[in-house]
């Protein structure tokens, strides 16, 4: 522990559990305030006139009472203990933790966007609506879809929206179907969304290539299948090259194809889900379009559909009237599945995605995908001797390596992840996807330099050496952080999410 | 790898089933808990519910993942292990003993032919 941290803890008081400084609740002193308002120059109305007694709390909420200085120091200190993309590399597979360009932040901070009221009349916010409309058009173009909603707050909500549309479409055809097929390498949100939409999830296995086993898929296809959810490239970072055959087979039994856009960042500008045969597509703007996430969000999970599904999109739908040259909202959507988010989604995030898109242009977006794939393959090759991939060959924007060779030394993927923190990198995703034993899912993203990727590879290779010679180094890691290794099992078994006074 | 008890049978999905005077005690194997890591939550069926051989009867959740537990036999749940619901770590510390999950009153036909310890041992080598 460094001297700086030591003195910090002295001034703030040390906690026995190693967290280093008190909770904001423990800083609380009765009556202390972070603000002071000038005395009112008008007579205050009686409380009874404002809020009838039956709507009032019987006692004040147990909120911490701290000064502004304590408040700022507390949260600044917490933020300094966090890892962030602005601090260093963040190769967290599946999450696409790419750098969030500051030009997008600048655009979103413009008062014309940042200070908008969601209830402002359409006539006063034509610019904001035009931005949304242009973004919608660009995302439809990029995905090969015809219509889109910007409402979903993130990918999982996009999934649910898409599945509700799938359901509405089948029901409108008088064709109640029961099952949705999902590969065994899928994100856990897929089966969860399927269940939430009232369908039964059916798993189809991967073959020896790490791709959907097409014969196994055809075996489970029948007129009870509402659709197939597919991530392409899949979570192993492999492109589902049989996609046209898959799409044809699903369409032949009357099912729809859902594209999970989690990995769209590796094909954007190169190939479009619509051209592969997909009917429904969600995007994660916080992945492909570089908007912040991972605590710094919120996310945004637009959902795009082909023409035949457009009438089911959540209402209202943004429309442009050529006669009056005005943007506005169409609420008259009798077949809509209804609203799935208040107002118009996470608007500020959409502004950032728009800025990103416009600053790169179509050619730039293509280079994003190419660079992401190149970086992943470069890193994969550098660490292949220490951490082999289960499925051989070139990957897309991420690869799933295995720490299985280290198991003989009593070292697990989690130990490797924790040790990487000591080398100044965020760990990769571990133990996902489930089809790879001791999985380390690594996604360097297109925004890291060759030097950073070389450093990351050196660290991973050194850790593999340590596992053989000094496994205790890995079991004890991390050693450089203020909080060492939290007991995740105990935290999950004895879940305490609420602070209570002793 | 811990010794595999030879007083019970095993499934390819890593459950064990032990005949206890006509009733079948079910749990997951040492190999299964080792793959899962620290078990933090167990979801078990209520006594009285019907279970079908090869269909999920409950789930175990670790810090890594959630896995279905498949019933090795068709029948009715007679008991569930309340201790393991309270202390899921029993599955890690004693998978063949205190970490049992449910007792099943088998339907007619009883427990079919599953793998013996030797066959299961070879499967997980």
């Amino acid at each position: 522990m460094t001297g700086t941290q030591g003195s910090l803890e002295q001034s703030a008081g040390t906690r026995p559990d190693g967290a280093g400084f008190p909770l904001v609740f423990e800083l609380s002193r009765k009556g202390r305030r972070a603000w002071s308002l000038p005395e009112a120059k008008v007579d205050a109305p009686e409380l009874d006139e404002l809020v009838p007694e039956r709507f009032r709390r019987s006692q004040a909420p147990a909120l911490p009472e701290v000064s502004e200085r304590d408040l700022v120091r507390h949260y600044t200190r917490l933020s300094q203990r966090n890892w962030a993309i602005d601090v260093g590399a963040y190769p967290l597979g599946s999450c696409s933790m790419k750098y969030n360009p500051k030009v997008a932040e600048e655009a979103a901070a413009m008062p014309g966007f940042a200070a908008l009221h969601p209830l402002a009349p359409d006539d006063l916010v034509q610019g904001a609506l035009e931005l949304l409309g242009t973004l919608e058009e660009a995302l439809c173009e990029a995905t090969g879809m015809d219509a889109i909603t910007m409402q979903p707050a993130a990918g999982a909500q996009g999934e649910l929206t898409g599945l509700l549309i799938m359901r509405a479409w089948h029901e409108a055809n008088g064709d109640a179907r029961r099952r949705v097929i999902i590969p065994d390498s899928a994100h856990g949100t897929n089966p969860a969304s399927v269940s939430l939409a009232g369908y039964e999830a059916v798993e189809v296995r991967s073959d020896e290539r790490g791709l959907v086993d097409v014969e196994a898929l055809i075996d489970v296809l029948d007129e009870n299948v509402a659709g197939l959810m597919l991530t392409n490239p899949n979570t192993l970072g492999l492109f589902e090259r049989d996609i046209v055959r898959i799409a044809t087979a699903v369409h032949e039994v009357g099912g729809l194809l859902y594209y999970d856009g989690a990995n769209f960042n590796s094909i954007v500008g190169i190939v479009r889900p619509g051209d592969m045969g997909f009917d429904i597509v969600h995007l994660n703007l916080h992945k492909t379009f570089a908007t912040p996430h991972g605590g710094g969000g919120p996310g945004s999970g637009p959902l795009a559909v082909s023409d035949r599904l457009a009438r089911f999109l959540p209402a209202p739908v943004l429309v442009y009237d050529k006669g009056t040259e005005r943007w506005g909202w169409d609420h008259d959507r009798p077949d809509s599945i209804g609203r799935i988010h208040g107002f118009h989604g996470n608007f500020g995030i959409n502004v950032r995605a728009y800025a990103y898109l416009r600053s790169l242009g179509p050619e730039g977006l293509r280079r994003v995908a190419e660079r992401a794939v190149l970086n992943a393959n470069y890193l994969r090759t550098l660490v292949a001797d220490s951490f082999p991939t289960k499925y051989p060959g070139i990957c897309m924007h991420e690869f799933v390596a295995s720490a299985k060779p280290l198991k003989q030394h009593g070292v697990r993927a989690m130990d490797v992840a924790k040790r990487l923190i000591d080398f100044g990198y965020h760990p990769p995703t571990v133990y996902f996807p489930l089809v790879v034993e001791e999985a380390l899912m690594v996604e360097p993203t297109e925004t890291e330099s060759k030097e950073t990727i070389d450093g990351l590879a050196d660290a991973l290779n050194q850790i593999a050496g340590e596992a053989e010679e000094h496994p205790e180094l890995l079991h004890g890691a991390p050693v450089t952080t203020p909080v060492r290794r939290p007991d995740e099992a105990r935290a999950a078994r004895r879940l305490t999410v609420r602070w209570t006074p002793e | 790898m811990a010794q595999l008890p030879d007083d019970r049978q095993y499934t390819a999905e890593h459950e064990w089933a032990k005949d206890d005077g006509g009733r079948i005690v079910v749990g997951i194997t040492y190999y299964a808990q080792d793959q899962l890591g620290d078990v933090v939550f167990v979801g078990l069926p209520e006594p009285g519910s019907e279970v079908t051989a090869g269909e999920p009867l409950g789930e175990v959740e670790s810090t890594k993942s959630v896995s279905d537990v498949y019933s090795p036999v068709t029948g009715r749940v007679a008991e569930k292990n309340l201790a393991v619901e309270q202390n899921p770590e029993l599955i890690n510390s004693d998978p063949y003993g205190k970490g049992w999950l449910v007792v099943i009153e088998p339907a007619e036909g009883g427990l079919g032919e599953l793998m013996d310890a030797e066959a299961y041992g070879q499967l997980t080598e």
Side-chain angles (χ1 to χ4, degrees):
Chain A
M1 204 164 277
T2 67
T4 320
Q5 276 157 346
S7 63
L8 249 182
E9 273 152 26
Q10 266 173 5
S11 66
T14 312
R15 289 167 55 84
D17 59 8
F21 50 84
L23 301 175
V24 71
F25 288 96
E26 293 165 326
L27 290 174
S28 180
R29 294 293 177 272
K30 197 168 170 42
R32 200 167 280 178
R33 289 288 179 271
W35 44 264
S36 52
L37 292 179
E39 222 168 292
K41 296 214 168 74
V42 293
D43 289 337
E46 290 299 314
L47 194 54
D48 280 332
E49 293 171 33
L50 296 172
V51 186
E53 196 180 344
R54 68 181 190 280
F55 292 130
R56 276 187 249 148
R57 308 178 55 112
S58 56
Q59 55 188 22
L63 296 175
E65 299 177 75
V66 295
S67 69
E68 180 180 320
R69 177 208 62 208
D70 285 346
L71 188 74
V72 168
R73 284 181 183 169
H74 180 76
Y75 286 105
T76 302
R77 239 188 256 146
L78 272 181
S79 75
Q80 288 170 334
R81 296 201 162 184
N82 201 2
W83 189 254
I85 199 71
D86 283 355
V87 174
Y90 210 137
L92 190 63
S94 184
C95 294
S96 307
M97 303 301 290
K98 38 167 105 174
Y99 176 71
N100 311 138
K102 298 304 169 230
V103 64
E105 296 302 319
E106 198 151 318
M110 290 166 77
F113 294 130
L116 276 187
H117 194 284
L119 286 175
D122 293 351
D123 275 347
L124 299 184
V125 293
Q126 284 294 307
L129 296 183
E130 185 182 345
L131 178 141
L132 270 186
T134 317
L135 177 62
E136 288 189 358
E137 198 183 327
L139 296 178
C140 282
E141 170 67 28
T143 52
M145 292 284 121
D146 302 306
I148 192 167
T149 174
M150 301 303 293
Q151 280 188 31
Q157 201 184 19
E159 287 178 31
L160 179 62
T161 307
L163 286 160
L164 291 175
I165 289 174
M166 185 184 285
R167 200 186 172 88
W169 185 75
H170 284 303
E171 283 174 0
N173 295 339
D175 186 12
R177 297 184 172 221
R178 287 205 325 260
R179 303 205 301 262
V180 174
I181 299 170
I182 295 171
D184 58 4
S185 61
H187 295 103
T189 47
N190 287 182
S193 301
V194 165
S195 301
L196 209 53
Y199 283 125
E200 182 195 335
V202 178
E203 191 176 275
V204 64
R205 65 171 183 266
S206 308
D207 60 17
E208 69 286 343
R209 302 169 302 166
L211 306 177
V212 169
D213 185 326
V214 182
E215 298 312 319
L217 169 67
I218 288 170
D219 278 350
V220 294
L221 282 178
D222 59 26
E223 71 290 346
N224 248 320
V225 169
L228 168 78
M229 288 184 94
L230 197 64
T231 311
N232 195 14
N234 65 23
T235 60
L236 293 161
L238 303 173
F239 190 80
E240 297 282 359
R241 60 190 77 166
D242 299 320
I243 182 57
V244 174
R245 221 178 126 208
I246 291 171
T248 308
V250 173
H251 283 150
E252 264 171 16
V253 297
L256 296 175
L257 265 89
Y258 183 100
Y259 181 87
D260 179 324
N263 295 338
F264 186 57
N265 53 316
S266 65
I267 60 164
V268 61
I270 296 170
V271 59
R272 310 189 304 169
D275 299 335
M276 296 183 216
F278 285 94
D279 306 283
I280 309 173
V281 177
H282 92 250
L283 295 174
N284 303 78
L285 297 187
H286 48 284
K287 293 182 175 184
T288 303
F289 296 92
T291 65
H293 66 149
S300 178
L303 186 96
V305 295
S306 57
D307 243 342
R308 58 178 172 162
L309 301 174
R311 64 192 167 108
F312 302 109
L313 282 174
V317 170
L318 186 59
V319 287
Y320 181 70
D321 186 324
K322 281 185 183 137
T324 59
E325 299 185 337
R326 302 307 267 178
W327 292 88
W329 295 101
D330 178 11
H331 292 264
D332 184 20
R333 311 281 298 185
D335 294 325
S336 166
I337 60 160
R339 253 190 196 286
I340 50 104
H341 192 286
F343 302 109
H344 316 304
N346 288 329
F347 176 74
I349 292 298
N350 297 337
V351 176
R352 288 170 174 86
Y354 177 84
Y356 181 75
L357 226 148
R358 293 303 294 256
S359 64
L360 285 169
E363 283 310 307
L365 279 179
R366 187 189 172 95
R367 281 200 302 278
V368 161
E370 290 170 347
R371 190 74 62 86
V373 173
L374 180 64
N375 281 1
N377 278 289
Y378 178 59
L379 180 59
R380 177 180 62 80
T381 314
L382 291 178
V383 301
D385 287 342
S386 312
F387 301 99
T389 48
K390 180 176 172 188
Y391 303 98
I394 288 176
C395 64
M396 296 293 284
H397 62 297
E398 65 192 353
F399 63 95
V400 182
S402 174
K404 197 179 165 191
L406 308 185
K407 237 179 145 179
Q408 55 177 315
H409 312 299
V411 167
R412 311 292 286 253
M414 184 61 86
D415 300 315
V416 175
K418 296 291 185 187
R419 183 65 177 145
L420 199 55
I421 297 171
D422 285 334
F423 286 83
Y425 301 96
H426 193 285
T429 297
V430 290
Y431 303 122
F432 179 82
L434 304 174
V435 289
V436 174
E437 197 181 337
E438 296 297 313
L440 292 164
M441 191 184 196
V442 193
E443 180 175 10
T445 80
E446 72 279 3
T447 47
E448 295 305 334
S449 66
K450 179 175 180 298
E451 291 75 17
T452 302
I453 297 176
D454 285 338
L456 181 57
D458 287 347
L460 281 166
N461 286 326
Q462 188 176 330
I463 290 169
E466 288 177 353
E468 205 175 328
E469 287 154 31
H470 305 287
E472 71 283 356
L473 274 179
L474 277 79
H475 295 140
V479 295
T480 55
T481 49
V483 177
R484 298 283 292 273
R485 193 186 293 210
D487 186 343
E488 288 173 37
R490 196 175 134 224
R493 285 168 183 158
R494 314 265 178 270
L495 190 63
T496 311
V497 292
R498 183 173 169 228
W499 179 84
T500 42
E502 280 167 39
Chain B
M1 176 64 76
Q3 199 67 35
L4 279 170
D6 57 10
D7 60 351
R8 63 195 76 193
Q9 301 194 74
Y10 299 88
T11 71
E13 304 281 358
H14 310 292
E15 291 88 14
W16 56 260
K18 183 182 172 191
D19 194 318
D20 182 27
R23 304 201 309 174
I24 310 299
V25 189
V26 178
I28 66 168
T29 64
Y30 178 91
Y31 177 85
Q33 67 78 29
D34 187 55
Q35 290 293 310
L36 281 166
D38 292 322
V39 178
V40 297
F41 175 80
V42 190
L44 297 177
E46 289 305 316
S49 42
E50 307 272 353
V51 292
T52 308
E55 299 283 323
L57 68 75
E59 59 186 23
V60 285
E61 183 173 341
S62 72
T63 49
K64 291 187 207 170
S65 66
V66 185
S67 296
D68 283 329
V69 178
Y70 296 90
S71 184
V73 62
T74 298
R76 188 182 294 274
V77 177
E79 280 179 57
K80 64 171 179 171
N81 188 349
L82 298 169
V84 90
E85 279 190 330
Q86 287 298 312
N87 301 294
E89 55 269 36
L90 287 173
I91 293 174
N92 295 116
S93 59
D94 192 7
Y96 297 121
K98 288 179 186 146
W100 65 274
L101 300 177
V102 289
V103 176
I104 297 169
E105 192 76 57
E108 216 164 311
L111 186 60
E113 192 70 23
L114 302 173
M115 271 179 277
D116 63 11
E118 197 188 335
Y120 180 71
Q122 279 168 7
L123 178 79
T124 53
E125 247 169 34

